[in-house]
Amino acid sequence: MILVYWRMAEDVKKVTADYGDEKIITLEGVEHIRRRPGMYIGRLGNGDNQGDGIYVLLKEIVDNSIDEFSMGFGKLVQINVDEKNVSVRDYGRGIPLGSVVKAMSVLNTGGKYDDSVFKKSVGLNGVGSKAVNALSSHFYVESFRDGQSAYAEFERGKLISEGRRETKEKNGTLVKFTPDELMFVDYSYRMEYVETLVKNYSYLKKGLTLNLNGTPYKSENGLLDLVNDSLSETPIYEPIHLIGEDIEIVMTHGNSYGENIVSFVNGQNTRDGGTHLAAIREAVAKTLKEFYKTMSKKDFDPGDIRQGIIGAISIQIQEPNFEGQTKTKLGSTYLWEKEVVREDGTRDVDKGPTIRSFVNDFVKVNLENYLHIHKEIIPVLQQKIQESESERKEIAGIQKKTRERNKRTNVYNKKLRDCRYHFNDKLPKGKEDMRELTSIFITEGDSASGTITQARNSDVQAVFSLRGKPINCFKESRKRVAENEELNLLVSALGVEEDLEDLRYNNIVIATDADDDGMHIRMLVVTFFLKYYPDLIRRGHVHILQTPLFRVKAKKGKSVEAVYCYSREEKEKALKSVKGNCEITRFKGLGEISHDEFSDFIGENIRLDEVKLSEEESILELLEFYMGDNTIDRQKFIKGNLKTEEELDGIDF
């Protein structure tokens, strides 16, 4: 992505001199969406990642059905998904029959601009269904209203047929679509992601049944069911469930590290948080801090109060403002904002309470009342906070000594080769706001770190060099880990000593060799993040760098064609496509790849595998299986998944 932006900028310079009337282009209908899909759905992808565009398309259509239920119409949504095709049928009011084509193909058209029709919906920008239409090879919609229906069929956003007919179908809307393989190459829906999406809808909309491929999902207890169903450890007290007008909160504490609070706005899972998540973090810490200060004269640190917290928050607001078209981070400051015309004819904006004050006030009153009623929780929670406080103070002292020692020996500067983003005065003008593009590559050894350092984009890519293998954090105490120089310096480089919100890089990329030692180092680093900083994984910050295993090179006249392959299958495909005598190179270490070649692998063609952690997975069980004592089960797993060098190289005997 980085190189793409810069090349676009260079292209603009080249064509400026030719800029005239003939360069002005008007894009008709939804053509703009097809040309710039990232503006509307974020990433494209092939379905391997839950943030890929095909899941955004599905969500946009289901959101419309959810909004109908929220307004009191239709208690059933039928969803059918196979690898390529989707259909969604709801039993709401149905789209007004005269507006079916317009609602699905004309930008900035929809009923959600009218607060009397959709008060607190997710899709407010008049784009959602149009984006699905534009990015689908086939799109069909039919609206049923009072014995009549109107239908329309599109191909890649272009209308190919429409009509009306009588029907015996119940009121509602049917949408069928197939994402366009010209946009989403070799895609398929992964049902675990779809099931998670549907489950979340059921938790947030009590009384609604969602039928996915014949399986019904319905929740009787809302977010309490979500938290109980996803608990991967036994909580130290029964989850607290607080419900108010336009707000629902569930919270408890466990013995794991970090904070795990799932957040929603108007039924939308805001994976990247936002103002409501910041508000509940502050509200819970502030309320409990004041509560224990009054009750026992203890003045606890907010971080100690939140350590190990598990919970969920859902709020309903009017016209939410999301950061980015994929709506995964709430940017709204107020519960509602509405333009009004004053008596003198001037226009102004009326604003409701801030989300921060709304959440704070609700938590203060209701959480305090709950604790006074359920007094058995008070000593249990206090003991948990005190244990977190004692450990934090001990670890902070150790880390401080380590940092001071490293400053004296100048080790830090040798370990981290930072990027210019953190020194904005050194960045080219216009590139100051590139936070989402920042990355830190965690690698091992002088050869690998040297290669990446020379090949990287130093504006936004940093390199941190490990020395040897880190310790196995799963088997060591927190004190022992804090004393480890390598991991201590890594935490400092990331900037997360006190709060994850201070993370200095958007992408943490583990870059190790594709051999036994490299895989072991990768597992040790992932173990460190899983145990002590699981939220970095939950928020999608931690990745594994995929580097090519093979280079297939062939001469074509005076030129040389090289194809880089990341698997044996890709190598076989390259051998068939590249004619002539081929030279095959097997890369076994990052240091074997020249920095000129490597710049492409960490530039616009970078391949990253996100380290994922679902809400249902137990971190303790994962670490016990992979990093604990050797067991028969693990031996069977390794034998079943191990590939020999001969298998990787494609040598047949």
Side-chain angles (χ1 to χ4, degrees):
M1 292 297 292
I2 300 165
L3 296 180
V4 170
Y5 291 139
W6 292 352
R7 287 175 183 173
M8 285 173 60
E10 291 300 319
D11 291 344
V12 169
K13 291 180 183 178
K14 293 176 184 177
V15 302
T16 300
D18 301 325
Y19 179 57
D21 290 334
E22 70 281 359
K23 299 296 183 182
I24 303 299
I25 300 173
T26 300
L27 300 178
E28 300 292 337
V30 293
E31 186 181 352
H32 186 270
I33 299 174
R34 291 187 62 82
R35 289 207 182 189
R36 297 287 185 269
M39 292 178 61
Y40 300 93
I41 64 166
R43 58 188 292 165
L44 288 172
N46 64 358
D48 286 345
N49 189 290
Q50 62 181 344
D52 285 350
I54 61 171
Y55 303 108
V56 178
L57 302 189
L58 169 62
K59 188 181 68 60
E60 288 289 353
I61 298 302
V62 177
D63 279 346
N64 292 333
S65 300
I66 299 299
D67 289 339
E68 281 293 306
F69 172 78
S70 298
M71 292 301 294
F73 302 93
K75 294 183 178 181
L76 172 66
V77 179
Q78 294 174 318
I79 305 167
N80 288 286
V81 179
D82 62 25
E83 289 188 350
K84 303 288 184 184
N85 307 296
V86 175
S87 71
V88 179
R89 170 71 158 102
D90 68 42
Y91 296 87
R93 291 164 290 185
I95 304 167
L97 300 186
S99 301
V100 168
V101 172
K102 187 166 60 173
M104 295 294 165
S105 60
V106 180
L107 290 177
N108 302 315
T109 301
K112 297 175 185 178
Y113 295 108
D114 184 348
D115 286 345
S116 66
V117 181
F118 290 94
K119 291 183 179 178
K120 292 165 184 172
S121 62
V122 175
L124 292 169
N125 53 20
V127 172
S129 297
K130 291 81 169 174
V132 183
N133 184 1
L135 300 175
S136 296
S137 56
H138 181 263
F139 183 95
Y140 177 85
V141 57
E142 186 166 7
S143 176
F144 309 99
R145 294 192 115 186
D146 303 324
Q148 298 289 319
S149 83
Y151 64 89
E153 192 172 6
F154 301 82
E155 289 182 355
R156 297 185 171 91
K158 294 182 179 179
L159 181 66
I160 59 173
S161 69
E162 63 174 310
R164 293 198 185 195
R165 55 192 169 206
E166 294 184 356
T167 181
K168 294 182 179 180
E169 285 277 350
K170 294 181 179 179
N171 286 1
T173 304
L174 169 66
V175 173
K176 298 179 181 180
F177 68 91
T178 303
D180 189 355
E181 289 196 288
L182 296 178
M183 295 288 180
F184 310 96
V185 180
D186 295 329
Y187 76 89
S188 63
Y189 281 96
R190 292 182 59 169
M191 290 312 298
E192 62 263 39
Y193 296 151
V194 178
E195 287 169 8
T196 297
L197 177 72
V198 171
K199 282 182 181 179
N200 285 341
Y201 279 126
S202 69
Y203 295 134
L204 293 161
K205 300 296 178 181
K206 287 183 288 186
L208 172 66
T209 298
L210 298 107
N211 192 308
L212 173 62
N213 291 351
T215 301
Y217 293 86
K218 186 177 181 180
S219 171
E220 300 296 339
N221 302 299
L223 287 188
L224 182 61
D225 286 340
L226 183 153
V227 171
N228 282 328
D229 290 349
S230 61
L231 280 172
S232 58
E233 61 176 308
T234 303
I236 63 174
Y237 57 88
E238 285 296 313
I240 299 169
H241 192 193
L242 308 174
I243 303 176
E245 185 178 356
D246 294 333
I247 186 169
E248 182 178 2
I249 290 173
V250 177
M251 62 163 283
T252 184
H253 279 77
N255 289 311
S256 296
Y257 291 91
E259 304 171 28
N260 185 13
I261 304 176
V262 187
S263 61
F264 300 88
V265 175
N266 294 7
Q268 165 66 32
N269 184 356
T270 43
R271 294 194 310 272
D272 297 324
T275 49
H276 58 321
L277 180 60
I280 188 176
R281 293 178 73 240
E282 176 188 344
V284 169
K286 184 178 179 181
T287 298
L288 292 178
K289 180 182 176 74
E290 293 175 355
F291 180 84
Y292 282 109
K293 196 170 185 180
T294 302
M295 289 282 295
S296 56
K297 308 303 180 186
K298 297 286 187 180
D299 190 10
F300 292 123
D301 182 86
D304 298 327
I305 294 171
R306 293 195 301 263
Q307 184 68 269
I309 193 171
I310 304 165
I313 178 174
S314 172
I315 64 171
Q316 304 285 324
I317 65 177
Q318 288 192 20
E319 300 195 28
N321 172 35
F322 294 99
E323 296 182 12
Q325 288 293 330
T326 53
K327 304 170 187 161
T328 56
K329 185 174 184 178
L330 180 66
S332 299
T333 301
Y334 301 93
L335 288 180
W336 52 266
E337 295 182 64
K338 195 173 187 66
E339 187 179 47
V340 294
V341 180
R342 304 298 183 196
E343 291 183 359
D344 60 1
T346 60
R347 294 181 178 272
D348 202 353
V349 177
D350 275 352
K351 298 176 180 178
T354 65
I355 292 172
R356 179 184 178 188
S357 63
F358 171 67
V359 175
N360 263 287
D361 292 346
F362 176 79
V363 170
K364 178 175 176 56
V365 172
N366 290 276
L367 182 54
E368 279 192 2
N369 289 343
Y370 191 96
L371 291 175
H372 283 301
I373 295 170
H374 300 83
K375 291 184 169 61
E376 69 279 5
I377 294 177
I378 297 172
V380 176
L381 181 52
Q382 181 171 336
Q383 182 180 348
K384 164 65 179 174
I385 298 171
Q386 287 175 327
E387 289 172 354
S388 297
E389 179 185 56
S390 298
E391 185 179 56
R392 175 183 58 82
K393 288 181 177 179
E394 182 180 22
I395 299 309
I398 295 171
Q399 290 177 332
K400 183 178 180 181
K401 290 179 181 178
T402 304
R403 283 195 297 271
E404 289 174 350
R405 182 176 70 249
N406 290 331
K407 283 181 181 178
R408 288 195 300 270
T409 58
N410 204 29
V411 172
Y412 184 78
N413 290 334
K414 296 176 183 177
K415 305 288 292 182
L416 175 68
R417 296 169 177 86
D418 212 347
C419 58
R420 293 192 185 99
Y421 173 82
H422 293 298
F423 310 96
N424 278 342
D425 56 319
K426 296 182 180 180
L427 268 179
K429 190 174 181 181
K431 294 180 180 176
E432 297 87 353
D433 187 18
M434 301 176 73
R435 170 72 180 81
E436 291 189 0
L437 302 178
T438 56
S439 300
I440 182 169
F441 292 94
I442 302 172
T443 188
E444 187 273 329
D446 295 336
S447 178
S449 62
T451 298
I452 296 180
T453 299
Q454 293 182 64
R456 67 175 174 149
N457 174 356
S458 57
D459 282 346
V460 289
Q461 293 178 329
V463 181
F464 183 88
S465 179
L466 292 168
R467 185 183 65 227
K469 293 182 180 179
I471 62 174
N472 184 349
C473 298
F474 179 63
K475 295 183 177 181
E476 300 290 349
S477 67
R478 184 72 176 97
K479 179 180 178 182
R480 175 78 176 85
V481 173
E483 291 172 338
N484 182 266
E485 181 180 276
E486 297 294 302
L487 297 178
N488 204 325
L489 289 169
L490 176 59
V491 171
S492 295
L494 296 175
V496 293
E497 297 102 321
E498 297 181 3
D499 197 314
L500 292 190
E501 302 303 321
D502 298 328
L503 179 66
R504 301 176 73 238
Y505 310 94
N506 189 47
N507 300 305
I508 302 168
V509 183
I510 303 171
T512 58
D513 291 340
D515 57 14
D516 290 345
D517 284 341
M519 295 297 177
H520 192 200
I521 293 169
R522 177 189 298 181
M523 285 295 295
L524 291 169
V525 175
V526 170
T527 298
F528 170 67
F529 287 124
L530 271 174
K531 186 170 183 180
Y532 297 114
Y533 297 95
D535 287 351
L536 291 178
I537 295 177
R538 291 191 183 102
R539 297 179 188 181
H541 291 298
V542 183
H543 307 268
I544 304 296
L545 176 67
Q546 292 300 312
T547 53
L549 291 174
F550 307 98
R551 178 183 60 210
V552 177
K553 186 187 293 185
K555 284 188 177 182
K556 283 194 173 182
K558 295 183 179 180
S559 63
V560 176
E561 180 181 0
V563 179
Y564 297 93
C565 311
Y566 290 75
S567 66
R568 179 180 175 180
E569 290 73 24
E570 288 189 18
K571 183 193 71 172
E572 297 301 325
K573 187 176 180 180
L575 287 172
K576 292 178 181 178
S577 63
V578 177
K579 306 298 181 181
N581 294 325
C582 296
E583 173 189 307
I584 303 174
T585 302
R586 165 78 160 92
F587 297 119
K588 297 183 181 180
L590 301 182
E592 295 180 356
I593 307 174
S594 71
H595 64 83
D596 290 332
E597 291 178 296
F598 206 80
S599 61
D600 197 35
F601 308 138
I602 60 173
E604 63 179 300
N605 295 319
I606 192 170
R607 292 197 192 184
L608 297 176
D609 285 343
E610 182 182 330
V611 180
K612 299 171 185 175
L613 180 64
S614 71
E615 301 300 330
E616 295 85 2
E617 287 181 302
S618 167
I619 294 175
L620 180 60
E621 291 178 4
L622 280 173
L623 294 180
E624 182 67 53
F625 181 82
Y626 289 106
M627 305 303 291
D629 294 332
N630 197 4
T631 64
I632 297 298
D633 288 341
R634 190 164 75 190
Q635 289 176 23
K636 289 180 179 177
F637 174 81
I638 293 172
K639 288 178 181 178
N641 292 273
L642 184 66
K643 287 187 177 181
T644 65
E645 282 292 313
E646 289 80 8
E647 287 174 320
L648 285 173
D649 291 339
I651 299 174
D652 296 316
F653 294 96

